[in-house]
Amino acid sequence: MSVWAVLAAAGSGERLGLDRPKSFAPLGGRPLLAEPLERLEASSWIDAIVVAAPPGWEEPSILLAEEVGAGKVVSCVTGGATRSESVRAAVAEVAPDASVILVHDAARPLLDDAVVERVLKPLAEGFHGAVPGLPLADTVKRARAGEVVETLERADLFAVQTPQAFLADWLRTALGGDVAGATDCAALVEEAGGRVAVVPGDRRLVKVTEPADLELVEALLGREGGGNPV
Ligand code: C5P
């Protein structure tokens, strides 16, 4: 089984308010992108990596991959206008004989190999995709024009993260259609009729969106470095 990782790193990260894309925001004294690159490189599950870089940041992304010794990076493509378009551009560079594609957001730097293992397992059990999910602490309601329409059954709901794993053919087919509006790849595979498993997520896979998220990830990273369990 050959597993390729696609790292979606092409977001602008406007909400961070920096002069550079989110993937190059400082984290632990180096660009954020270094962290997920290094972790995918170190994963025994991953054979090759394709990076979707922010337009104009392809060269710095390649240099960074070299700097952290990420020799599994075989290609760095220019990202698209949306996450799905960036993933589509990167998937086009995946070898035709790859059997599994793992899609990960660079904005979730603290990737643990145990999560990679968890999302790969269902693919050997009849599922076409698998996502890590966290149970919700809050009650979720559907509302329209300021009025509650429905209270959803909390036990059925999950906050879904990346990495997400897919049988390569299913992801390719799913990305072949209209990807506008999809906030994750699993939604596209579900729409194409695929069965997607949900496995336990990881609270350290915080998505960096606001400056406070960057501080949180920095603190979690510091604790990892100090050897204290988070
Ligand atoms: O913008 P958001 O935080 O939702 O993006 C999630 C992930 O998708 C990030 O890692 C970001 O770099 C990536 N992305 C991308 N191309 C875009 C927009 C987002 O690769 N056009």
Side-chain angles (χ1 to χ4, degrees):
M1 183 173 89
S2 127
V3 181
W4 281 56
V6 158
L7 191 56
S12 64
E14 266 165 36
R15 277 169 290 182
L16 282 182
L18 298 173
D19 59 352
R20 68 200 81 170
K22 179 155 59 183
S23 293
F24 286 84
L27 175 68
R30 55 187 192 164
L32 180 147
L33 180 60
E35 201 61 44
L37 270 177
E38 214 168 55
R39 290 167 185 243
L40 285 171
E41 177 71 25
S43 170
S44 57
W45 299 102
I46 306 298
D47 298 305
I49 305 166
V50 180
V51 179
W57 290 78
E58 301 84 350
E59 199 61 38
S61 301
I62 292 167
L63 288 175
L64 185 62
E66 281 170 8
E67 234 170 82
V68 302
K72 290 181 188 171
V73 174
V74 295
S75 179
C76 179
V77 302
T78 308
T82 63
R83 179 186 184 277
S84 299
E85 286 171 67
S86 297
V87 171
R88 180 152 62 187
V91 165
E93 295 296 312
V94 170
D97 64 352
S99 45
V100 169
I101 301 175
L102 183 102
V103 182
H104 185 56
D105 289 338
R108 301 180 192 272
L110 304 185
L111 178 63
D112 189 299
D113 215 24
V115 189
V116 175
E117 183 171 2
R118 287 206 287 277
V119 292
L120 290 177
K121 197 162 173 268
L123 302 185
E125 297 165 351
F127 287 95
H128 306 108
V131 299
L134 294 175
L136 296 187
D138 296 320
T139 296
V140 180
K141 296 180 190 289
R142 191 191 306 280
R144 229 168 270 135
E147 185 174 344
V148 172
V149 178
E150 187 189 2
T151 298
L152 301 171
E153 182 58 50
R154 189 171 62 184
D156 292 344
L157 298 172
F158 294 88
V160 166
Q161 308 172 310
T162 72
Q164 302 188 347
F166 304 97
L167 296 181
D169 290 346
W170 276 81
L171 183 61
R172 285 195 186 96
T173 305
L175 288 167
D178 178 14
V179 299
T183 50
D184 74 354
C185 295
L188 298 169
V189 171
E190 291 154 35
E191 223 171 281
R195 288 181 67 212
V196 177
V198 56
V199 301
D202 186 338
R203 297 212 174 270
R204 289 168 298 179
L205 280 169
V206 176
K207 185 162 104 173
V208 174
T209 307
E210 315 266 343
D213 303 324
L214 202 51
E215 281 169 33
L216 173 59
V217 171
E218 185 105 40
L220 292 170
L221 185 64
R223 278 198 242 173
E224 270 186 19
N228 298 321
V230 175

